[in-house]
């Protein structure tokens, strides 16, 4: 491949644009290696009121509509838990931010992304209006006020997030089949705001009677941990998303310049929410005895490490947080 043809190449990139995290999988524009990155969905409209000594860590973008947004782990994020998130300017900024951070600035990309089950389907049919709205939103422009090169989104394809994770379960990284695709497989995608259940039958159909979306996810854990910290330490301070995430994952938080052990507090909150999610899954699937597998994916699955044990045929991939993004990328490689 010549240098000129490489520059003009349109790259396939998959972005799982969640309420808590943005996950990206794609071919690196320079090295050709597979890029796999997680970026916190920490964004708010307007300027942050912060400035960086080094010029890094605080990124501001302007949308085609003329609004300014700040993306940074150092700010308190706007609440992304609203119904219109996937067709919002917040979402578009986060997707473009992820592309820039992963080296796609100035590059042409074919973008494949997803919607939760309840947004992708309307009754038993694809929700074309919602799918088209997300597609149109991601084709609108975002610019960097500092003049940085932004990605050029040539095309957008929108899939169902949980079904994308089915692709990742069935196919390995070489696109060879690693699990039987002809049976009935339930994908449970525990995300930031929602938990999606999608029962894939025979590799080509969705059982809508057992599929759907519940409004419970990782951000609910963060909210309850924050409240518990306030009660335990008698404080009212707000915490950025990355600090809450670190507190939940490590069981410690730095207050008054000292590491505070909050492991019991975190364990209690995580256990309560894991039980709630497991019961919601049971309401849809029953004992899951007539399914080949119940596959747990998403950021919540990485947090609720024992949830697959609720079902004898429960399964958790080695890297559940990336299952949606990897599945979307595998889908576009298979389908073209």
């Amino acid at each position: 491949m010549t240098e000129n043809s490489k520059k003009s190449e349109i790259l396939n990139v998959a972005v799982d644009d969640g309420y808590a995290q943005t996950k990206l999988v794609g071919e690196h524009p320079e090295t050709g290696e597979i890029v796999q990155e997680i970026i916190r969905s920490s964004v708010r409209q307007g300027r942050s009121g912060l400035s960086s000594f080094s010029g890094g860590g605080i990124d501001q973008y302007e949308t085609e509509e003329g609004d300014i947004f700040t993306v940074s782990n150092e700010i308190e994020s706007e609440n992304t838990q609203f119904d219109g998130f996937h067709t919002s300017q917040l979402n578009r900024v986060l997707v473009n931010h992820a592309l820039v951070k992963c080296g796609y600035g100035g590059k042409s990309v074919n973008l494949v992304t997803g919607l939760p089950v309840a947004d992708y389907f309307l009754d038993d049919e694809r929700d074309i209006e919602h799918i088209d709205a997300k597609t149109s939103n991601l084709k609108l422009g975002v610019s960097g006020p500092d003049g940085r090169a932004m990605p050029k989104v040539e095309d957008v394809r929108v899939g169902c997030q949980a079904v994308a994770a089915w692709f990742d379960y069935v196919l390995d990284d070489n696109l060879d089949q690693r699990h039987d695709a002809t049976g009935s497989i339930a994908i449970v995608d525990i995300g930031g705001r929602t938990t999606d259940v999608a029962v894939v039958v025979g590799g080509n159909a969705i059982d809508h009677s057992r599929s759907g979306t519940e409004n419970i996810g990782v951000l609910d854990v963060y909210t309850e941990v924050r409240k518990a910290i306030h009660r335990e330490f008698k404080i009212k301070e707000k915490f950025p998303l990355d600090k809450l995430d670190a507190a939940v994952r490590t069981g410690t938080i730095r207050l008054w310049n000292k590491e505070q052990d909050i492991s019991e507090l975190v364990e209690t909150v995580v256990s309560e929410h894991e039980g709630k999610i497991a019961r919601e899954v049971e309401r849809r699937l029953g004992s899951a005895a007539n399914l080949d597998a119940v596959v747990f994916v998403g950021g919540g699955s990485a947090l609720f490490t024992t949830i697959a044990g609720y079902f004898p045929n429960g399964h958790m991939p080695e890297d559940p947080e990336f299952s949606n993004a990897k599945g979307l990328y595998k889908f576009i490689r298979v389908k073209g």
Side-chain angles (χ1 to χ4, degrees):
M1 182 182 294
T2 66
E3 186 66 23
N4 286 337
S5 63
K6 186 174 182 179
K7 287 181 179 178
S8 63
E9 182 183 8
I10 300 177
L11 301 164
N12 292 324
V13 185
V15 176
D16 176 18
D17 46 343
Y19 299 95
Q21 298 173 329
T22 305
K23 280 82 68 178
L24 182 148
V25 174
E27 182 181 344
H28 192 279
E30 302 299 334
T31 67
E33 297 178 353
I34 298 299
V35 177
Q36 188 169 301
E37 291 288 343
I38 291 181
I39 296 172
R40 305 287 169 215
S41 299
S42 186
V43 60
R44 67 181 307 106
Q45 187 169 357
R47 302 184 186 277
S48 66
L50 298 174
S51 58
S52 170
F53 294 134
S54 63
I58 302 167
D59 296 283
Q60 292 181 336
Y61 300 93
E62 183 174 355
T63 63
E64 191 169 309
E65 295 88 334
D67 295 316
I68 301 293
F69 291 83
T70 300
V71 183
S72 173
N73 287 335
E74 303 302 321
I75 63 172
E76 183 189 4
S77 176
E78 275 191 42
N79 188 348
T80 59
Q81 294 177 279
F82 61 96
D83 289 342
F85 169 73
H86 281 281
T87 56
S88 68
Q89 292 185 70
L90 285 178
N91 177 274
R92 192 193 327 150
V93 166
L94 287 168
V95 169
N96 277 271
H97 175 71
L99 290 168
V100 168
K101 289 301 178 184
C102 293
Y104 294 95
K107 307 297 182 182
S108 294
V109 300
N110 286 330
L111 179 66
V112 57
T113 185
L115 281 168
V117 171
D119 292 336
Y120 190 81
F121 293 104
L122 183 62
D123 297 325
D124 295 346
E125 302 291 336
R126 291 194 307 152
D127 189 342
I128 300 300
E129 183 177 345
H130 207 155
I131 293 169
D132 287 348
K134 176 156 190 174
T135 301
S136 299
N137 181 57
L138 290 174
K139 286 184 176 180
L140 292 175
V142 175
S143 60
D146 58 1
R148 78 188 68 183
M150 297 298 294
K152 303 169 186 176
V153 179
E154 304 289 348
D155 188 38
V156 178
R157 298 178 70 174
V158 178
C160 177
Q161 290 171 348
V163 175
W166 176 87
F167 265 88
D168 184 52
Y169 174 72
V170 170
L171 301 177
D172 65 19
D173 291 344
N174 296 318
L175 303 183
D176 294 324
Q177 185 171 313
R178 59 182 172 187
H179 295 289
D180 183 15
T182 62
S184 297
I185 299 167
I187 303 294
V188 181
D189 178 13
I190 307 172
R193 179 194 182 194
T194 60
T195 295
D196 277 358
V197 179
V199 177
V200 182
V201 180
N204 57 14
I206 298 291
D207 181 354
H208 289 281
S209 68
R210 292 189 287 178
S211 303
T213 300
E214 300 296 335
N215 284 321
I216 181 171
V218 175
L219 290 176
D220 297 301
V221 174
Y222 293 170
T223 297
E224 291 305 314
V225 167
R226 175 179 54 78
K227 290 178 180 178
I229 292 170
H230 286 174
R231 290 192 299 268
E232 177 74 16
F233 295 98
K234 309 278 191 302
I235 61 175
K236 295 182 179 180
E237 276 77 5
K238 298 177 180 180
F239 302 108
L241 186 60
D242 70 322
K243 190 165 187 177
L244 281 173
D245 178 75
V248 170
R249 293 176 187 269
T250 65
T252 63
I253 190 168
R254 194 167 189 82
L255 302 173
W256 302 292
N257 203 30
K258 292 182 180 179
E259 293 295 330
Q260 307 290 339
D261 182 358
I262 58 169
S263 55
E264 289 187 11
L265 177 157
V266 169
E267 184 178 344
T268 298
V269 173
V270 169
S271 178
E272 287 176 355
H273 280 74
E274 182 178 83
K276 288 179 183 179
I277 291 173
R279 288 189 291 276
E280 291 296 342
V281 176
E282 287 177 14
R283 288 185 184 103
R284 291 193 176 275
L285 304 181
S287 68
N290 58 351
L291 296 172
D292 294 289
V294 181
V295 183
F296 289 86
V297 301
S301 293
L303 178 62
F304 305 124
T305 56
T306 64
I307 196 166
Y310 281 77
F311 298 91
N313 52 352
H315 172 80
M316 189 177 296
E318 183 177 337
D319 199 0
E321 288 181 291
F322 276 99
S323 286
N324 282 335
K326 289 172 71 174
L328 289 166
Y329 188 65
K330 290 173 185 179
F331 171 82
I332 203 169
R333 287 175 64 195
V334 170
K335 299 297 184 180

